[in-house]
Amino acid sequence: MRQLEVFEAIARLKSFTRAAEELFLTQPTVSMQIKKLTDQVGLPLFEQIGKKIYLTDAGKELYKTCLGIFDHFSRFEMIASDMKGMKSGKLRISVVTTAKYFTPRLLGMFCKKFPSIDVALKVTNREHILERLVNNQDDLYVMGQVPNNIDAIAEVFLDNPMIVLAAIDHPLANSEKISINRISEEFFIMREPGSGTRLTTEQFFQKHNKKIKIRMELGSNEAIKQAVIGGLGIAILSRHTLSLDAPLGKLTILDVQDFPINRHWYLAYPCGKQLSIVAQAFLEYLKQAPDILSDFTYTHTSALTPP
Ligand code: PGA
């Protein structure tokens, strides 16, 4: 097991030095473990070209096997601690950028209830989350609707109203029932391609046969809010992006026809995946305690402060 651990770390980090650091071992110890493993396998596992380390074909096969063994072993550890009456292990969860406004708090509450659970949280945009889901890289995914061509189980757990955001002094700030014709005359600040927020905005304009006037593309919701405050344009964003530190007094939600667009947040995982005990515990936690989600639910989308 020790040799496999050392091998996995080198293969992942592509460096003997960094593997030694991560495992708190000396470099000669790491080299010795790999020599023993190579002798047992009878084939070279790594090749060095210049300063870079690559896995040989045998190394690639061993790496896949290693990941399987570690996965099974961590499943066993979770089962054993579950039998002892405590939930422990690691929850690997990946969430779309916009879900960062509530997922860490939910995870915080969950970890308070199960203090022996560790969490690895990855935040990236919708396109990358879908890639991770297809490649089965994590336990659970938080995202908008999963496309039909991906074989996944997805359960809705929270509303995700999409609103139109403008600077407080925008000429439309106090208008009521703004028409779609009128709103499409405005310049929009958009998220980057691959973002679910962008997809929703594009689908909205497509549905109404309008062209979007894009002033600027930004890869972060926070940067978009600042650009909106700066008067560069307006934006369609999730209501959740205003949840924590809404720059009160500087932004307003426009009252536009057909808004909010009612989307939802899903917890998803690949069909056929055997969920780890901690992943099941997290799903159950969200289902059994709907009150914990009430902090993240917006009933009055025109108000800037949460209910
Ligand atoms: P995004 O996804 O953060 O990648 O824009 C949000 C969503 O799918 O609603």
Side-chain angles (χ1 to χ4, degrees):
M1 273 310 261
R2 192 56 173 160
Q3 288 170 6
L4 289 182
E5 258 171 26
V6 171
F7 169 76
E8 187 278 333
I10 300 169
R12 178 169 38 87
L13 300 167
K14 309 252 178 323
S15 151
F16 278 61
T17 316
R18 282 167 59 204
E21 276 166 18
E22 183 179 288
L23 296 169
F24 299 109
L25 296 173
T26 61
Q27 226 176 323
T29 311
V30 164
S31 303
M32 179 57 72
Q33 298 280 7
I34 290 303
K35 185 172 175 333
K36 281 188 190 160
L37 186 62
T38 310
D39 289 347
Q40 273 182 39
V41 175
L43 290 167
L45 301 170
F46 296 105
E47 55 194 2
Q48 188 156 359
I49 299 175
K51 283 193 173 168
K52 283 197 169 168
I53 288 175
Y54 297 89
L55 283 170
T56 59
D57 285 347
K60 283 180 195 155
E61 283 306 316
L62 183 62
Y63 186 54
K64 270 193 237 157
T65 310
C66 244
L67 295 182
I69 293 172
F70 291 145
D71 204 40
H72 275 81
F73 197 71
S74 83
R75 195 178 298 279
F76 166 72
E77 281 179 330
M78 285 185 209
I79 292 171
S81 60
D82 198 40
M83 284 170 170
K84 288 188 229 152
M86 48 196 249
K87 300 247 183 283
S88 73
K90 187 171 241 170
L91 174 66
R92 285 165 307 173
I93 184 161
S94 278
V95 310
V96 285
T97 325
T98 308
K100 75 170 183 198
Y101 292 94
F102 56 87
T103 322
R105 279 155 77 203
L106 283 179
L107 288 169
M109 292 190 267
F110 175 66
C111 289
K112 241 187 216 157
K113 186 156 181 222
F114 301 110
S116 310
I117 289 180
D118 287 337
V119 177
L121 173 67
K122 169 103 192 146
V123 182
T124 181
N125 77 16
R126 177 179 167 88
E127 192 171 275
H128 292 125
I129 292 289
L130 288 172
E131 258 169 49
R132 295 182 74 88
L133 173 72
V134 169
N135 295 325
N136 189 22
Q137 282 177 271
D138 312 273
D139 294 317
L140 292 171
Y141 305 84
V142 175
M143 59 186 304
Q145 198 164 5
V146 181
N148 291 336
N149 61 349
I150 292 184
D151 216 7
I153 296 178
E155 299 185 37
V156 170
F157 72 102
L158 194 61
D159 290 340
N160 179 20
M162 305 291 291
I163 46 140
V164 186
L165 213 54
I168 193 81
D169 55 358
H170 190 278
L172 295 173
N174 297 315
S175 309
E176 287 179 8
K177 304 229 167 359
I178 304 163
S179 72
I180 292 160
N181 275 341
R182 175 64 190 86
I183 210 71
S184 44
E185 287 167 17
E186 294 295 312
F187 277 107
F188 278 76
I189 318 281
M190 298 285 275
R191 280 280 305 275
E192 78 286 5
S195 133
T197 306
R198 182 182 179 116
L199 196 69
T200 309
T201 310
E202 287 173 347
Q203 285 169 347
F204 178 81
F205 276 87
Q206 237 167 42
K207 182 175 150 203
H208 293 279
N209 257 326
K210 298 274 171 220
K211 268 197 94 181
I212 322 174
K213 287 167 63 175
I214 300 177
R215 161 66 58 85
M216 187 186 262
E217 269 181 16
L218 294 168
S220 123
N221 294 320
E222 290 308 304
I224 290 184
K225 288 192 307 195
Q226 293 304 321
V228 169
I229 293 171
L232 286 167
I234 62 176
I236 296 178
L237 287 184
S238 165
R239 172 67 181 79
H240 286 278
T241 60
L242 299 175
S243 61
L244 293 178
D245 54 351
L248 286 172
K250 296 190 175 150
L251 286 170
T252 187
I253 297 174
L254 296 184
D255 178 9
V256 181
Q257 249 177 27
D258 284 8
F259 277 88
I261 302 173
N262 292 314
R263 297 184 73 223
H264 297 97
W265 292 115
Y266 292 78
L267 261 169
Y269 54 94
C271 274
K273 183 174 175 75
Q274 205 191 340
L275 283 184
S276 69
I277 287 183
V278 291
Q280 285 171 28
F282 187 60
L283 279 178
E284 286 308 309
Y285 176 72
L286 290 186
K287 276 189 207 156
Q288 282 167 10
D291 49 307
I292 59 164
L293 293 173
S294 59
D295 250 15
F296 307 101
T297 305
Y298 300 101
T299 45
H300 305 293
T301 52
S302 55
L304 264 184
T305 45

